[in-house]
Every structure is written in structure tokens, then in C-alpha cells.
Amino acid sequence: MAEDPITGIVCPIRLDYTITPGRAQTRFLRGLENGKLLGQRCPATGKVYMPPRGSSPTHGLPTTEEVEVADRGTVTTFCIVNLQFASTVREIPYVCAQILLDGADIPFFFVVQEVDVNEIRMGMRVEAVWKDPSEWGPTLENILFFKPTGEADAPRESYKEHV
Amino acid sequence: MSRKAETDENKGILTAPYVLEYSYTRSTGPVLGRFLSGLRDKKIEGIRAADGRVLVPPVETDPVTGEELDEFVQVGEVGTVTACSWLAEPRAEHPLDKPFAWALVQLDGADTGLLHAVDCGSAEKIEVGSRVEVSWRDERHGFITDIECFRLVGD
């Protein structure tokens, strides 16, 4: 029985790494294990970075002081995803937003759900929806998504520095 | 397991596996496509170059003159090692899960070496000049791994 001639081959490229987040981010991830969001403060400016990288990006100083920030905050900007791509795990359309957590001085990126995509807006107040504590590990996956709190929108003054 | 030594300073620092994997589908072209299709039927074909040499694996254009090549030549399943290197600790991606030799095998009838794995047990058993033969896989799909490995003739 004649088989079709070969015209293409699949060549897998695989890189197997063991990565470490380093000391500073290990503290952050250990905090997540206990349901805490731990930022780190720049000793020069007092600004709190979340997630922390271990050093201040503006002054290059070690950020050794841990600061717990809230698991709720303000949407500073957002993106509505309308395109399905290979690794999409959510139904489109969905919302990704920069969220300025209360107590942090830099927004961080997360998915916002339980909101109509036409309702999402700058200044909207949102809060984290966590997995059950029995499932917590040292990972941001402990947070499923953020959802609107129903509070009044934050005034633009409170986040304009971050837009 | 992290390879970094555990010291007091880095004790307790997290590590995690991180795998990047892409599966590319490459077009073989007519010449390599025919070579791979042949492996499926336990047939190894080279191609005759402008100077008369038989190149295995075959290439589409002459390496010296650049002209298109099209005269396929079937070569043998037995050949001679022209270079080899012992691999004592194979990794997951390697063709064999035990120590083996990488070797350039000049198959009888060919004028160039084909790179493949030789399963010969120990580094002392293989050297330039060793005679080796193809060990075919039972299930072949038209890929270079249809040749499972080479073994020493008489082994």
C-alpha cells in the first residue's frame, strides 16, 4: 500500500528551565501563600512596588521593607480582549486592567470579570476574588480574577499619576 | 531540583520548572521529503553530486556548484564510523535513554557521513573505522528517528 510522500515534519523545540524568583520575590510569593499581597517600599521615595522586584527601579536601592497592600483597588486603564488566540483560556470578550491596589504606588495587571465589558471604566473600584484557602500556594493564581466592588468610582486625582 | 548549592543565604528560596516548547512544522522540500519517505520503507537514499560523490542525507543543490541535483542513489544499511563522541549522560531529548555514541556513519555506497546515535554499550567499543548497521524501528513514520539507532555489526 503506497503511503503519501512526506512533505513536512514536526520539529519540537523544547527548553527545560528551573527558574527562581530570587529572595525578594520569594517573600512576595510566600505572602501569597497566606493570602497576603506584600509590596516593598523604596527607601528613598517611599513608594510601594507591587509586585516587588527587590530593588527600587528609580533609585536602584534594595527594597527591604515589606508593606501589605489591599486586595482591592482602582482601575487605571484597561483593555477589552476581542480576539481568540491559541493560548486563550477565557471566553471572549474579556477585560484585562491595570489595577492600582490601595496602598501600592504602581498598578498591576489582572483580569476583571463579573463586569459587562461596556461597563468597565477608568476609576472603577474592583476587588480580588480568591480561590478557596485550601488551594492556596505561592502563586498569583490564588487570585481568580478581580470584580467590581460596587463602590463609587475613585476620583481621577487619586490615580492620575498612574495613567 | 535546583542545581544551585543550598546555602544559608539562599535556603528557602523558591524554584519552579519552566518549560518553553514550540512545535514547528517544517516543509521538507522534494529531496528530503523523498529521503524521509524512503526511511518509512527501510530504504536509505542519497543523491549524486556534480563531482560524482553520493551525499547522504541528500540535498537539493550541489554544495560546490549550486546546481540542482536529482539523481537518487540507494545506499546500504551498513557503514563505517568516520567520527564519534561518547555521551555518558543522555538527557530527556536524546534518542536513547542510556549512554551512547554520536557518530558520523558513512554508509556503504555513500561518500559523506550521516549523524546518528550508536548503541554500543561503552565508549571503548567504538572508534573511527568501526562497522555499524541500522537498527530500524518497527513503527516508522517518515522521520529520521525511523532509524532507532545504529549498532556494531555482529553485536
Side-chain angles (χ1 to χ4, degrees):
Chain A
M1 189 183 76
E3 291 174 279
D4 289 338
I6 301 291
T7 57
I9 52 173
V10 177
C11 294
I13 307 286
R14 182 184 165 97
L15 300 169
D16 238 320
Y17 292 104
T18 300
I19 56 160
T20 172
R23 280 194 291 277
Q25 288 195 91
T26 290
R27 297 201 300 275
F28 169 69
L29 293 167
R30 289 292 181 209
L32 277 170
E33 218 168 15
N34 299 305
K36 288 181 179 172
L37 293 167
L38 297 178
Q40 288 172 17
R41 194 188 302 281
C42 169
T45 62
K47 288 196 183 300
V48 174
Y49 291 96
M50 215 310 294
R53 301 284 181 227
S55 65
S56 160
T58 55
H59 287 69
L61 299 167
T63 50
T64 51
E65 186 192 344
E66 231 98 61
V67 182
E68 186 174 352
V69 303
D71 65 352
R72 59 170 56 202
T74 302
V75 172
T76 62
T77 184
F78 60 87
C79 163
I80 299 169
V81 180
N82 285 296
L83 287 175
Q84 197 87 46
F85 48 95
S87 60
T88 305
V89 293
R90 298 172 194 277
E91 270 182 41
I92 56 169
Y94 64 92
V95 175
C96 286
Q98 293 282 4
I99 300 168
L100 183 64
L101 295 174
D102 298 347
D105 290 294
I106 194 165
F108 99 130
F109 195 63
F110 227 94
V111 172
V112 180
Q113 289 192 321
E114 296 186 9
V115 61
D116 188 306
V117 294
N118 299 312
E119 290 295 313
I120 186 80
R121 57 195 178 270
M122 294 163 74
M124 182 181 249
R125 296 284 295 161
V126 293
E127 64 185 344
V129 176
W130 295 76
K131 281 185 185 169
D132 187 88
S134 64
E135 295 175 48
W136 285 352
T139 165
L140 267 174
E141 288 175 9
N142 295 352
I143 297 177
L144 294 166
F145 53 85
F146 278 70
K147 66 170 187 183
T149 64
E151 295 167 275
D153 284 4
R156 187 174 165 79
E157 279 300 306
S158 66
Y159 63 88
K160 70 171 187 188
E161 188 193 336
H162 302 283
V163 174
Chain B
M1 265 292 277
S2 168
R3 291 198 193 91
K4 200 171 170 185
E6 278 259 314
T7 63
D8 287 344
E9 204 185 27
N10 65 27
K11 206 169 207 167
I13 293 182
L14 293 165
T15 62
Y18 185 74
V19 177
L20 281 178
E21 189 167 20
Y22 312 99
S23 290
Y24 291 104
T25 300
R26 294 178 183 276
S27 168
T28 56
V31 171
L32 270 182
R34 175 163 164 175
F35 170 74
L36 293 170
S37 302
L39 294 182
R40 204 166 43 189
D41 304 324
K42 294 192 180 182
K43 186 164 82 172
I44 304 175
E45 285 186 306
I47 205 159
R48 193 174 303 281
D51 59 9
R53 292 182 305 147
V54 174
L55 314 177
V56 180
V59 292
E60 284 185 37
T61 53
D62 188 272
V64 180
T65 67
E67 69 192 87
E68 211 168 300
L69 302 177
D70 58 11
E71 187 191 341
F72 285 87
V73 180
Q74 186 169 353
V75 297
E77 295 184 13
V78 178
T80 304
V81 171
T82 59
C84 59
S85 173
W86 186 248
L87 188 80
E89 295 178 20
R91 304 182 68 161
E93 298 79 2
H94 283 136
L96 297 173
D97 59 4
K98 54 185 169 180
F100 67 91
W102 285 116
L104 283 174
V105 177
Q106 189 174 327
L107 292 166
D108 293 350
D111 293 289
T112 60
L114 171 77
L115 179 67
H116 219 295
V118 181
D119 180 9
C120 59
S122 73
E124 292 72 38
K125 290 195 174 165
I126 187 167
E127 58 188 2
V128 170
S130 293
R131 294 284 285 166
V132 294
E133 63 186 333
V134 169
S135 176
W136 295 102
R137 249 178 234 287
D138 292 337
E139 277 192 27
R140 295 178 302 280
H141 308 283
F143 198 55
I144 190 64
T145 50
D146 285 357
I147 296 175
E148 186 180 14
C149 61
F150 282 80
R151 295 185 205 282
L152 297 171
V153 172
D155 234 13

